[in-house]
Amino acid sequence: MRLKISHTTRYSFDEAVTSGLQQLRKTPKPHAGQKTLTWDTRIEGGKPELTFEDQHNNRVDLISFGKGVTEVVVTSQGEVEIGNNNGVIGRHRGPAPLWLYRRMTPRTKAGPAVRALARGIVGDSDLDRAHALMSAISEGVTYEIGVSDSGSTAEETLEAGKGVCQDMTHVFVACARHLGLPARYVSGYLMLNDREAQEAMHAWAEAHIPGLGWVGFDPSNCISPDDRYVRVATGLDYDEAAPVRGTRVGGENEVLAVAIEVAQQ
């Protein structure tokens, strides 16, 4: 399937910025089932500084903006060709070692709720257990917008029993790691069947299964990713795969607006 994607991030400030730096992770990752045909990023109110690959093989564009700026607009768009591999990405590629993905983070720390959910997961193989975990999260956490933020933890999500795709992904990653499986957070785009316009990127998880390598699991939709999913960035949790992160001096009262369109070509 060929998908056309447009992603605009707009920051507006009541008072001018003195200086700022931002890391962008908005470029789709190449792999056996995904090919980027075209991709372009335009910056208004700032300028590109350099591009590099981080420890998770994410493309990172570093941009800066200087004194007097009251608005920064970053627009990324292009076309991506996706094959349906039933969520299988394949063998692990460095430079980050596989054991790193068993490491807990503040968002994925296994507390009482995570441990209780993990204890109830059964299956004849690691793949069976990963699918059972995905189903348990889908059934146990209600999708609801506005009840969490980017800093919410897996424990908080399970205690509340509700959250968004980011929260359910953190729960999956936390439980999978507690069960001994390397797991990682994935940010990307998802083509929806009922509309093109969206307000945020999607998130799902990947677990490393012996014999298969990395396999994707989307607990918010209770499926493994198909050819509607575009992988962009991976990390130990949201913080390492966020589309935009950075720092600035000045620029009081920030207003953020995001506009995303994903459509089949």
PDB file of all heavy atoms in Angstrom, residues 212-235:
ATOM      1  N   LEU A 212      11.668 -15.004  15.413  1.00  0.00           N
ATOM      2  CA  LEU A 212      11.009 -14.028  14.545  1.00  0.00           C
ATOM      3  C   LEU A 212      11.700 -12.670  14.556  1.00  0.00           C
ATOM      4  O   LEU A 212      11.668 -11.943  13.575  1.00  0.00           O
ATOM      5  CB  LEU A 212       9.540 -13.835  14.964  1.00  0.00           C
ATOM      6  CG  LEU A 212       8.579 -14.994  14.699  1.00  0.00           C
ATOM      7  CD1 LEU A 212       7.215 -14.679  15.296  1.00  0.00           C
ATOM      8  CD2 LEU A 212       8.457 -15.260  13.211  1.00  0.00           C
ATOM      9  N   GLY A 213      12.299 -12.316  15.689  1.00  0.00           N
ATOM     10  CA  GLY A 213      12.853 -10.974  15.851  1.00  0.00           C
ATOM     11  C   GLY A 213      11.787 -10.033  16.375  1.00  0.00           C
ATOM     12  O   GLY A 213      10.888 -10.426  17.120  1.00  0.00           O
ATOM     13  N   TRP A 214      11.865  -8.790  15.975  1.00  0.00           N
ATOM     14  CA  TRP A 214      10.919  -7.784  16.464  1.00  0.00           C
ATOM     15  C   TRP A 214       9.555  -7.982  15.799  1.00  0.00           C
ATOM     16  O   TRP A 214       9.455  -8.134  14.583  1.00  0.00           O
ATOM     17  CB  TRP A 214      11.428  -6.380  16.176  1.00  0.00           C
ATOM     18  CG  TRP A 214      12.592  -5.981  17.026  1.00  0.00           C
ATOM     19  CD1 TRP A 214      13.895  -5.888  16.651  1.00  0.00           C
ATOM     20  CD2 TRP A 214      12.553  -5.628  18.420  1.00  0.00           C
ATOM     21  NE1 TRP A 214      14.682  -5.502  17.712  1.00  0.00           N
ATOM     22  CE2 TRP A 214      13.892  -5.330  18.812  1.00  0.00           C
ATOM     23  CE3 TRP A 214      11.546  -5.536  19.369  1.00  0.00           C
ATOM     24  CZ2 TRP A 214      14.215  -4.945  20.110  1.00  0.00           C
ATOM     25  CZ3 TRP A 214      11.869  -5.145  20.667  1.00  0.00           C
ATOM     26  CH2 TRP A 214      13.190  -4.861  21.017  1.00  0.00           C
ATOM     27  N   VAL A 215       8.509  -7.970  16.635  1.00  0.00           N
ATOM     28  CA  VAL A 215       7.128  -8.125  16.164  1.00  0.00           C
ATOM     29  C   VAL A 215       6.281  -7.021  16.798  1.00  0.00           C
ATOM     30  O   VAL A 215       6.397  -6.755  17.997  1.00  0.00           O
ATOM     31  CB  VAL A 215       6.552  -9.507  16.540  1.00  0.00           C
ATOM     32  CG1 VAL A 215       5.115  -9.641  16.023  1.00  0.00           C
ATOM     33  CG2 VAL A 215       7.430 -10.623  15.975  1.00  0.00           C
ATOM     34  N   GLY A 216       5.423  -6.397  15.993  1.00  0.00           N
ATOM     35  CA  GLY A 216       4.609  -5.296  16.474  1.00  0.00           C
ATOM     36  C   GLY A 216       3.294  -5.748  17.098  1.00  0.00           C
ATOM     37  O   GLY A 216       2.677  -6.724  16.652  1.00  0.00           O
ATOM     38  N   PHE A 217       2.857  -4.993  18.127  1.00  0.00           N
ATOM     39  CA  PHE A 217       1.590  -5.243  18.813  1.00  0.00           C
ATOM     40  C   PHE A 217       0.941  -3.897  19.134  1.00  0.00           C
ATOM     41  O   PHE A 217       1.560  -3.047  19.775  1.00  0.00           O
ATOM     42  CB  PHE A 217       1.808  -6.039  20.108  1.00  0.00           C
ATOM     43  CG  PHE A 217       2.435  -7.388  19.888  1.00  0.00           C
ATOM     44  CD1 PHE A 217       3.826  -7.530  19.908  1.00  0.00           C
ATOM     45  CD2 PHE A 217       1.647  -8.500  19.648  1.00  0.00           C
ATOM     46  CE1 PHE A 217       4.413  -8.768  19.686  1.00  0.00           C
ATOM     47  CE2 PHE A 217       2.240  -9.748  19.430  1.00  0.00           C
ATOM     48  CZ  PHE A 217       3.608  -9.876  19.456  1.00  0.00           C
ATOM     49  N   ASP A 218      -0.279  -3.706  18.694  1.00  0.00           N
ATOM     50  CA  ASP A 218      -1.003  -2.457  18.936  1.00  0.00           C
ATOM     51  C   ASP A 218      -2.157  -2.735  19.892  1.00  0.00           C
ATOM     52  O   ASP A 218      -3.251  -3.127  19.463  1.00  0.00           O
ATOM     53  CB  ASP A 218      -1.538  -1.890  17.618  1.00  0.00           C
ATOM     54  CG  ASP A 218      -2.298  -0.580  17.822  1.00  0.00           C
ATOM     55  OD1 ASP A 218      -2.386  -0.102  18.966  1.00  0.00           O
ATOM     56  OD2 ASP A 218      -2.812  -0.035  16.828  1.00  0.00           O
ATOM     57  N   PRO A 219      -1.963  -2.554  21.199  1.00  0.00           N
ATOM     58  CA  PRO A 219      -3.031  -2.870  22.156  1.00  0.00           C
ATOM     59  C   PRO A 219      -4.251  -1.969  22.051  1.00  0.00           C
ATOM     60  O   PRO A 219      -5.345  -2.374  22.445  1.00  0.00           O
ATOM     61  CB  PRO A 219      -2.335  -2.723  23.514  1.00  0.00           C
ATOM     62  CG  PRO A 219      -1.148  -1.850  23.260  1.00  0.00           C
ATOM     63  CD  PRO A 219      -0.719  -2.132  21.862  1.00  0.00           C
ATOM     64  N   SER A 220      -4.098  -0.758  21.513  1.00  0.00           N
ATOM     65  CA  SER A 220      -5.266   0.122  21.410  1.00  0.00           C
ATOM     66  C   SER A 220      -6.246  -0.348  20.339  1.00  0.00           C
ATOM     67  O   SER A 220      -7.439  -0.061  20.396  1.00  0.00           O
ATOM     68  CB  SER A 220      -4.834   1.569  21.130  1.00  0.00           C
ATOM     69  OG  SER A 220      -4.181   1.678  19.890  1.00  0.00           O
ATOM     70  N   ASN A 221      -5.747  -1.100  19.339  1.00  0.00           N
ATOM     71  CA  ASN A 221      -6.610  -1.678  18.306  1.00  0.00           C
ATOM     72  C   ASN A 221      -6.641  -3.196  18.348  1.00  0.00           C
ATOM     73  O   ASN A 221      -7.367  -3.828  17.582  1.00  0.00           O
ATOM     74  CB  ASN A 221      -6.140  -1.225  16.922  1.00  0.00           C
ATOM     75  CG  ASN A 221      -6.424   0.243  16.667  1.00  0.00           C
ATOM     76  OD1 ASN A 221      -7.566   0.680  16.776  1.00  0.00           O
ATOM     77  ND2 ASN A 221      -5.390   1.005  16.349  1.00  0.00           N
ATOM     78  N   CYS A 222      -5.834  -3.789  19.235  1.00  0.00           N
ATOM     79  CA  CYS A 222      -5.751  -5.235  19.445  1.00  0.00           C
ATOM     80  C   CYS A 222      -5.428  -5.984  18.158  1.00  0.00           C
ATOM     81  O   CYS A 222      -6.057  -7.007  17.845  1.00  0.00           O
ATOM     82  CB  CYS A 222      -7.061  -5.766  20.049  1.00  0.00           C
ATOM     83  SG  CYS A 222      -6.835  -7.349  20.916  1.00  0.00           S
ATOM     84  N   ILE A 223      -4.440  -5.486  17.414  1.00  0.00           N
ATOM     85  CA  ILE A 223      -3.955  -6.170  16.217  1.00  0.00           C
ATOM     86  C   ILE A 223      -2.439  -5.974  16.119  1.00  0.00           C
ATOM     87  O   ILE A 223      -1.876  -5.064  16.730  1.00  0.00           O
ATOM     88  CB  ILE A 223      -4.606  -5.642  14.920  1.00  0.00           C
ATOM     89  CG1 ILE A 223      -4.274  -4.157  14.708  1.00  0.00           C
ATOM     90  CG2 ILE A 223      -6.100  -5.873  14.921  1.00  0.00           C
ATOM     91  CD1 ILE A 223      -4.697  -3.640  13.356  1.00  0.00           C
ATOM     92  N   SER A 224      -1.804  -6.826  15.326  1.00  0.00           N
ATOM     93  CA  SER A 224      -0.429  -6.558  14.932  1.00  0.00           C
ATOM     94  C   SER A 224      -0.462  -5.631  13.725  1.00  0.00           C
ATOM     95  O   SER A 224      -1.352  -5.751  12.866  1.00  0.00           O
ATOM     96  CB  SER A 224       0.300  -7.862  14.584  1.00  0.00           C
ATOM     97  OG  SER A 224       0.636  -8.566  15.761  1.00  0.00           O
ATOM     98  N   PRO A 225       0.466  -4.687  13.619  1.00  0.00           N
ATOM     99  CA  PRO A 225       0.433  -3.695  12.545  1.00  0.00           C
ATOM    100  C   PRO A 225       0.400  -4.327  11.156  1.00  0.00           C
ATOM    101  O   PRO A 225       1.085  -5.312  10.886  1.00  0.00           O
ATOM    102  CB  PRO A 225       1.723  -2.900  12.771  1.00  0.00           C
ATOM    103  CG  PRO A 225       1.975  -3.018  14.238  1.00  0.00           C
ATOM    104  CD  PRO A 225       1.544  -4.415  14.581  1.00  0.00           C
ATOM    105  N   ASP A 226      -0.408  -3.731  10.281  1.00  0.00           N
ATOM    106  CA  ASP A 226      -0.505  -4.173   8.896  1.00  0.00           C
ATOM    107  C   ASP A 226      -0.004  -3.067   7.979  1.00  0.00           C
ATOM    108  O   ASP A 226       0.781  -2.201   8.414  1.00  0.00           O
ATOM    109  CB  ASP A 226      -1.936  -4.590   8.560  1.00  0.00           C
ATOM    110  CG  ASP A 226      -2.963  -3.504   8.874  1.00  0.00           C
ATOM    111  OD1 ASP A 226      -2.583  -2.307   8.869  1.00  0.00           O
ATOM    112  OD2 ASP A 226      -4.138  -3.840   9.121  1.00  0.00           O
ATOM    113  N   ASP A 227      -0.443  -3.062   6.728  1.00  0.00           N
ATOM    114  CA  ASP A 227       0.095  -2.090   5.772  1.00  0.00           C
ATOM    115  C   ASP A 227      -0.528  -0.711   5.884  1.00  0.00           C
ATOM    116  O   ASP A 227      -0.300   0.144   5.043  1.00  0.00           O
ATOM    117  CB  ASP A 227      -0.031  -2.606   4.338  1.00  0.00           C
ATOM    118  CG  ASP A 227      -1.456  -2.995   3.963  1.00  0.00           C
ATOM    119  OD1 ASP A 227      -2.362  -2.835   4.793  1.00  0.00           O
ATOM    120  OD2 ASP A 227      -1.643  -3.481   2.819  1.00  0.00           O
ATOM    121  N   ARG A 228      -1.283  -0.464   6.948  1.00  0.00           N
ATOM    122  CA  ARG A 228      -1.770   0.899   7.231  1.00  0.00           C
ATOM    123  C   ARG A 228      -0.858   1.637   8.210  1.00  0.00           C
ATOM    124  O   ARG A 228      -1.051   2.826   8.466  1.00  0.00           O
ATOM    125  CB  ARG A 228      -3.182   0.845   7.815  1.00  0.00           C
ATOM    126  CG  ARG A 228      -4.234   0.255   6.881  1.00  0.00           C
ATOM    127  CD  ARG A 228      -5.533   0.042   7.633  1.00  0.00           C
ATOM    128  NE  ARG A 228      -5.329  -0.876   8.752  1.00  0.00           N
ATOM    129  CZ  ARG A 228      -6.060  -0.859   9.876  1.00  0.00           C
ATOM    130  NH1 ARG A 228      -7.018   0.032  10.035  1.00  0.00           N
ATOM    131  NH2 ARG A 228      -5.816  -1.728  10.840  1.00  0.00           N
ATOM    132  N   TYR A 229       0.132   0.923   8.763  1.00  0.00           N
ATOM    133  CA  TYR A 229       0.998   1.472   9.797  1.00  0.00           C
ATOM    134  C   TYR A 229       2.341   1.904   9.197  1.00  0.00           C
ATOM    135  O   TYR A 229       2.972   1.152   8.467  1.00  0.00           O
ATOM    136  CB  TYR A 229       1.270   0.429  10.874  1.00  0.00           C
ATOM    137  CG  TYR A 229       0.110   0.126  11.787  1.00  0.00           C
ATOM    138  CD1 TYR A 229      -1.014  -0.557  11.332  1.00  0.00           C
ATOM    139  CD2 TYR A 229       0.139   0.508  13.126  1.00  0.00           C
ATOM    140  CE1 TYR A 229      -2.072  -0.850  12.171  1.00  0.00           C
ATOM    141  CE2 TYR A 229      -0.907   0.219  13.985  1.00  0.00           C
ATOM    142  CZ  TYR A 229      -2.017  -0.460  13.502  1.00  0.00           C
ATOM    143  OH  TYR A 229      -3.059  -0.753  14.355  1.00  0.00           O
ATOM    144  N   VAL A 230       2.788   3.102   9.568  1.00  0.00           N
ATOM    145  CA  VAL A 230       4.081   3.627   9.125  1.00  0.00           C
ATOM    146  C   VAL A 230       4.966   3.831  10.354  1.00  0.00           C
ATOM    147  O   VAL A 230       4.653   4.668  11.212  1.00  0.00           O
ATOM    148  CB  VAL A 230       3.925   4.954   8.360  1.00  0.00           C
ATOM    149  CG1 VAL A 230       5.294   5.500   7.947  1.00  0.00           C
ATOM    150  CG2 VAL A 230       3.031   4.767   7.135  1.00  0.00           C
ATOM    151  N   ARG A 231       6.043   3.066  10.457  1.00  0.00           N
ATOM    152  CA  ARG A 231       6.971   3.187  11.584  1.00  0.00           C
ATOM    153  C   ARG A 231       7.856   4.422  11.386  1.00  0.00           C
ATOM    154  O   ARG A 231       8.451   4.612  10.330  1.00  0.00           O
ATOM    155  CB  ARG A 231       7.864   1.957  11.706  1.00  0.00           C
ATOM    156  CG  ARG A 231       7.122   0.687  11.987  1.00  0.00           C
ATOM    157  CD  ARG A 231       8.019  -0.536  11.884  1.00  0.00           C
ATOM    158  NE  ARG A 231       8.929  -0.675  13.017  1.00  0.00           N
ATOM    159  CZ  ARG A 231      10.239  -0.523  12.944  1.00  0.00           C
ATOM    160  NH1 ARG A 231      10.807  -0.188  11.802  1.00  0.00           N
ATOM    161  NH2 ARG A 231      10.998  -0.689  14.008  1.00  0.00           N
ATOM    162  N   VAL A 232       7.970   5.252  12.432  1.00  0.00           N
ATOM    163  CA  VAL A 232       8.785   6.466  12.354  1.00  0.00           C
ATOM    164  C   VAL A 232       9.954   6.413  13.327  1.00  0.00           C
ATOM    165  O   VAL A 232      11.098   6.603  12.943  1.00  0.00           O
ATOM    166  CB  VAL A 232       7.922   7.723  12.612  1.00  0.00           C
ATOM    167  CG1 VAL A 232       8.803   8.975  12.712  1.00  0.00           C
ATOM    168  CG2 VAL A 232       6.903   7.892  11.486  1.00  0.00           C
ATOM    169  N   ALA A 233       9.682   6.159  14.601  1.00  0.00           N
ATOM    170  CA  ALA A 233      10.752   6.169  15.597  1.00  0.00           C
ATOM    171  C   ALA A 233      10.480   5.125  16.663  1.00  0.00           C
ATOM    172  O   ALA A 233       9.327   4.807  16.970  1.00  0.00           O
ATOM    173  CB  ALA A 233      10.879   7.549  16.237  1.00  0.00           C
ATOM    174  N   THR A 234      11.562   4.590  17.244  1.00  0.00           N
ATOM    175  CA  THR A 234      11.447   3.626  18.333  1.00  0.00           C
ATOM    176  C   THR A 234      12.312   4.080  19.503  1.00  0.00           C
ATOM    177  O   THR A 234      13.253   4.858  19.340  1.00  0.00           O
ATOM    178  CB  THR A 234      11.899   2.219  17.883  1.00  0.00           C
ATOM    179  OG1 THR A 234      13.254   2.302  17.391  1.00  0.00           O
ATOM    180  CG2 THR A 234      11.005   1.683  16.782  1.00  0.00           C
ATOM    181  N   GLY A 235      11.987   3.583  20.697  1.00  0.00           N
ATOM    182  CA  GLY A 235      12.759   3.940  21.878  1.00  0.00           C
ATOM    183  C   GLY A 235      12.321   3.126  23.077  1.00  0.00           C
ATOM    184  O   GLY A 235      11.407   2.299  22.990  1.00  0.00           O
TER     185      GLY A 235
END
